[in-house]
Amino acid sequence: MVDRWRVLAALLATRWRRFGSREALQRYQERRLRTILTRARRTFPAYAQVQGTALTDFPILDKEGWLSRFDGLNDRGLSLEQCLAAAGAAEASGRFDATLAGVSVGLSSGTSGRRGVFLTSPQEQARWAGAMLAKTLPSLREPVRVALVLRSGGPLYEAVGGGRITFTHIDLALPAETINERLLAFAPTVLAAPPQVLDDLARHPIRPGPTVIYSVADVLDDDVAARIERGFGLTVGQVYQATEGFLGITCAHGTLHLNEDLVHVERELIDAGTGRFVPVITDLYRSTQAIIRYRLGDVLVPGPDECPCGSVFATIARIEGRAEDVPHFTSRSGGDRPLFTDVIRAALLAAPGVQDFRLVQRGDGSLRLAVRPPQAQASAHLALHRLLESRALVVPEIGGMPWPVEAATDKRRRVRRVV
Ligand SMILES: [Zn+2]
């Protein structure tokens, strides 16, 4: 059971921590990094050979590399096999997480590859819950009713139920009507759910509706956000949360900011023109498991340098999904070129009659396209063809495909690569 006082302490610390300038933030991050990295060399066997305490002395790890060194990257001496077995057994019995050596063992949902295994101590859970509440709740004076529609429960609602804050967790795997009924009965003031759930709810919004809505766990495309906002009559915020950490949240001005008080973010540039990057994160507080120079698979588009809210945290214009899902084409002048998801989405949704689509690039470079409604298939094909030509890319074979089967708990990916 998570300690409520620890949650409250983290909540207040997060609310009160203010940075007057980017430099002040950097000084704070440097202090935290020194503490984290010094301990890492002593504590985690995988870092015993690291020569210095500068961040760049540590290797960058993607999920695969990180999992392959799992045993040396936690301070409990737990092995990956042990943790997978415990988490698997817990899942099979309908529980959300297992406990080993005093820490919770959670699995990431994972859209591809192996599932990540994440260990958190009760203190880390309390800190996470406090930071999450501090950043999501509109006011600490009013009573709030928070409904979370998610794949799995977290420590959050268990930690802080009762008092002025009431939580309900609704399992995303339930039928849409059941989710609706539960929300109606609970009457949340704050609603957090994946975009496709909000999109469904926006068609028959609950009344009285929530005053704050957050899209979580999936990419929020502009067209979906617009529908949600029309339905609810509210702007929709985003919580950028992964099993790896609480990475960002929308401010009152609708700008997504990285949580640079919790994580240090390095940018691995993948497109110089737009500044698109893949974040390499270092958690400034986690101690059970090392999240040091961990490469997330997401593509982020940087936002404006400044935000009217006054926060010095970096802004993000868009989260574009997984880097591994970005289709690549051959340029007519030779060479391999990426074509980013938002460009494809804009072109296809602008094609006459197209309401939604799924695009898959296969290992041989060919494309498969599914379109709703199906009558708009030809129009979508033409738009895609024209887009590739206008970008001076060699047009590969484009074929149709049936609309993919998507479970309620699957992440929605409009554009995907399969290899
Ligand atoms: Zn802002």
Side-chain angles (χ1 to χ4, degrees):
M1 188 62 199
V2 175
D3 184 341
R4 292 185 56 151
W5 290 108
R6 278 186 196 276
V7 174
L8 188 64
L11 190 164
L12 294 176
T14 308
R15 282 257 171 161
W16 284 338
R17 202 181 291 125
R18 287 281 179 273
F19 302 97
S21 65
R22 193 77 203 158
E23 290 68 39
L25 171 67
Q26 278 158 359
R27 281 196 298 276
Y28 164 83
Q29 288 195 330
E30 276 156 24
R31 276 201 307 278
R32 287 303 317 166
L33 284 174
R34 221 165 18 240
T35 307
I36 283 281
L37 300 178
T38 306
R39 178 179 178 274
R41 285 174 68 203
R42 280 201 318 264
T43 312
F44 302 117
Y47 293 137
Q49 305 306 318
V50 171
Q51 293 304 311
T53 49
L55 193 54
T56 48
D57 294 327
F58 287 75
I60 294 178
L61 298 173
D62 56 18
K63 189 169 81 180
E64 282 301 315
W66 186 82
L67 280 175
S68 69
R69 297 178 199 198
F70 182 92
D71 305 9
L73 289 172
N74 72 82
D75 70 358
R76 309 288 153 132
L78 292 169
S79 74
L80 183 60
E81 290 66 36
Q82 252 178 310
C83 294
L84 279 171
E91 254 191 359
S93 66
R95 283 178 295 126
F96 292 125
D97 59 2
T99 305
L100 276 180
V103 295
S104 290
V105 183
L107 292 173
S108 68
S109 53
T111 46
S112 61
R114 283 201 281 172
R115 294 176 76 180
V117 178
F118 293 88
L119 308 175
T120 44
S121 67
Q123 291 87 336
E124 286 169 313
Q125 290 176 26
R127 172 176 285 284
W128 175 82
M132 183 63 86
L133 290 172
K135 287 171 184 275
T136 49
L137 297 186
S139 156
L140 298 178
R141 291 187 193 88
E142 307 288 319
V144 284
R145 302 173 60 76
V146 184
L148 304 166
V149 186
L150 292 172
R151 285 176 191 85
S152 61
L156 178 67
Y157 69 102
E158 293 163 13
V160 284
R164 284 160 176 268
I165 306 166
T166 316
F167 275 95
T168 191
H169 165 254
I170 301 171
D171 192 338
L172 183 56
L174 290 168
E177 309 84 75
T178 315
I179 293 177
N180 247 318
E181 283 163 19
R182 299 226 176 141
L183 282 174
L184 206 60
F186 182 74
T189 55
V190 177
L191 170 62
Q196 75 269 16
V197 173
L198 294 175
D199 196 7
D200 282 345
L201 289 171
R203 274 178 234 146
H204 316 281
I206 43 177
R207 297 275 181 253
T211 51
V212 179
I213 43 174
Y214 285 109
S215 160
V216 292
D218 253 340
V219 170
L220 177 66
D221 285 338
D222 295 345
D223 58 310
V224 177
R227 274 202 303 272
I228 295 170
E229 295 186 348
R230 270 199 307 277
F232 282 95
L234 290 170
T235 54
V236 55
Q238 279 192 83
V239 173
Y240 182 22
Q241 152 75 29
T243 345
E244 291 87 348
F246 176 24
L247 304 164
I249 187 160
T250 308
C251 71
H253 291 263
T255 310
L256 182 62
H257 290 270
L258 293 175
N259 289 333
E260 292 183 288
D261 51 343
L262 308 176
V263 278
H264 176 274
V265 180
E266 295 172 81
R267 300 182 181 210
E268 212 171 75
L269 206 61
I270 53 168
D271 183 41
T274 57
R276 275 183 175 79
F277 67 98
V278 171
V280 175
I281 62 165
T282 299
D283 195 294
L284 297 174
Y285 285 96
R286 249 166 137 132
S287 58
T288 306
Q289 232 176 349
I291 305 281
I292 296 172
R293 305 196 88 195
Y294 182 104
R295 184 195 282 113
L296 287 172
D298 300 331
V299 176
L300 304 187
V301 185
D305 287 340
E306 280 177 15
C307 179
C309 77
S311 167
V312 301
F313 297 164
T315 69
I316 297 300
R318 260 194 321 282
I319 305 167
E320 273 191 351
R322 314 285 301 168
E324 68 209 19
D325 279 333
V326 175
H328 283 250
F329 297 92
T330 309
S331 162
R332 270 196 245 123
S333 53
D336 176 83
R337 286 245 308 272
L339 186 61
F340 292 103
T341 312
D342 70 318
V343 178
I344 297 172
R345 188 183 64 236
L348 285 177
L349 294 182
V354 176
Q355 284 167 13
D356 205 354
F357 72 92
R358 297 288 184 270
L359 180 69
V360 173
Q361 185 173 44
R362 295 181 168 183
D364 62 2
S366 67
L367 300 171
R368 292 293 176 273
L369 183 61
V371 180
R372 273 184 180 156
Q375 306 88 283
Q377 187 83 23
S379 155
H381 275 240
L382 186 63
L384 188 57
H385 203 279
R386 282 189 180 145
L387 170 67
L388 295 169
E389 292 220 303
S390 74
R391 298 279 170 140
L393 300 170
V394 177
V395 181
E397 182 214 333
I398 306 176
M401 67 171 181
W403 194 268
V405 178
E406 292 166 337
T409 50
D410 286 347
K411 282 184 182 279
R412 294 286 185 275
R413 290 187 292 171
R414 275 173 160 166
V415 179
R416 218 151 50 84
R417 270 179 109 192
V418 290
V419 279

